[in-house]
Amino acid sequence: MTLLDVKNLSYSYDGTVNVLADVSLSVEEGTIVGLVGPNGSGKSTLIRNIFDLVHLQSGSLCIGGHEHTSAKAKSLGMYLSSNDYLPEFLTAREYIALMGTLFGVEPDDAQAHDLFRKFSMEGRYDHLIEDYSHGMRKKTQLVSALLMRRPLTVIDETLNGIDLEALHLSEREFRHVRDEGRSILLCTHDFAVLERLADRIVFLDLGQVVYDLPTRDLIAEHGSVAAMVFDYLGSDER
């Protein structure tokens, strides 16, 4: 079943130049899809449209078969942004409880403590977020997503700034999420991570989909995801 369905999406901030131009893509249930592209390619604007953070101008967006602006659609997806902005006046426990209230989920404290331990933050679950480092805030974002367990999780460069051990743990947990039939749209410049995790790669450039193919096919043709991206960016096709 198609979980995220984007059809003919175009978007402009000034009414003249399209940041997104007739973009179509889908994310099936139980898949990890990598989203790559240079800065300014339209990745963040695409994500903002998916989560109704900007007004849809052209095209259509559905999550789980529901219009993306509906309460049902919004309950199905969770967005982890590229920044580490979290409410500093809350503890991690309070923040995760707040997320649980928003999504109608009762967080499992035992699981939360276990994830904090695995992410090398044992004993910090009841500390104020203002006392967390950048990496700890990123890991708190990841823990919240693993506890909320939404059908669709969109991760926008959230893996930047975490240590190698946490990255390895995140990859393992993402595979568990996929095995449960849930899906992840993973936006990252870490192409090696995508080669290990992603079932499919969507490559955006200048607001258009350049490639949308299974990862194994891209690697077979280009040798690596990085080679595919850099070959294209250095070519006359742009």
Side-chain angles (χ1 to χ4, degrees), residues 145-162:
L146 292 172
L147 290 170
M148 295 306 107
R149 242 23 183 214
R150 296 296 81 203
L152 173 67
T153 302
V154 177
I155 300 173
D156 185 8
E157 298 292 353
T158 315
L159 299 179
N160 289 352
I162 65 173

Side-chain angles (χ1 to χ4, degrees), residues 18-39:
N18 280 337
V19 178
L20 297 173
D22 201 31
V23 169
S24 295
L25 63 91
S26 63
V27 176
E28 306 300 314
E29 287 185 333
T31 60
I32 297 175
V33 175
L35 179 63
V36 301
N39 291 340

Side-chain angles (χ1 to χ4, degrees), residues 27-179:
V27 176
E28 306 300 314
E29 287 185 333
T31 60
I32 297 175
V33 175
L35 179 63
V36 301
N39 291 340
S41 62
K43 302 186 302 296
S44 294
T45 300
L46 171 61
I47 293 171
R48 291 189 190 107
N49 272 273
I50 290 170
F51 286 95
D52 195 28
L53 299 177
V54 293
H55 181 69
L56 183 67
Q57 295 176 351
S58 177
S60 66
L61 280 161
C62 291
I63 301 176
H66 305 277
E67 169 118 23
H68 77 296
T69 57
S70 69
K72 180 60 177 177
K74 292 177 181 180
S75 73
L76 298 176
M78 186 171 184
Y79 170 36
L80 301 190
S81 67
S82 58
N83 60 55
D84 65 350
Y85 301 154
L86 295 175
E88 295 186 339
F89 55 88
L90 297 180
T91 65
R93 181 193 297 274
E94 291 168 338
Y95 171 69
I96 287 170
L98 173 63
M99 292 296 101
T101 300
L102 291 174
F103 287 110
V105 174
E106 185 67 37
D108 184 329
D109 270 346
Q111 185 183 9
H113 278 288
D114 187 51
L115 285 169
F116 261 63
R117 178 186 60 79
K118 288 178 177 178
F119 275 109
S120 302
M121 297 191 295
E122 188 168 12
R124 301 301 299 271
Y125 190 48
D126 288 302
H127 289 193
L128 287 173
I129 291 171
E130 69 175 357
D131 296 327
Y132 287 4
S133 67
H134 171 71
M136 291 177 65
R137 294 177 189 219
K138 288 295 188 79
K139 289 190 279 189
T140 300
Q141 289 177 296
L142 291 165
V143 169
S144 70
L146 292 172
L147 290 170
M148 295 306 107
R149 242 23 183 214
R150 296 296 81 203
L152 173 67
T153 302
V154 177
I155 300 173
D156 185 8
E157 298 292 353
T158 315
L159 299 179
N160 289 352
I162 65 173
D163 54 77
L164 287 176
E165 185 178 8
L167 178 61
H168 177 69
L169 173 61
S170 296
E171 290 185 24
R172 189 173 66 202
E173 292 295 332
F174 293 166
R175 292 189 185 97
H176 292 329
V177 168
R178 177 177 56 192
D179 291 345

Side-chain angles (χ1 to χ4, degrees), residues 31-32 178 194-201 212-225 228:
T31 60
I32 297 175
R178 177 177 56 192
L194 293 180
E195 290 181 4
R196 293 192 296 267
L197 279 180
D199 303 292
R200 237 176 63 242
I201 301 288
D212 183 353
L213 291 170
T215 308
R216 62 179 179 274
D217 292 353
L218 285 175
I219 293 173
E221 181 177 350
H222 298 273
S224 68
V225 174
M228 176 271 291

Side-chain angles (χ1 to χ4, degrees), residues 203 227-238:
F203 177 28
M228 176 271 291
V229 171
F230 297 138
D231 286 349
Y232 174 81
L233 294 178
S235 72
D236 296 327
E237 297 179 43
R238 297 186 74 191

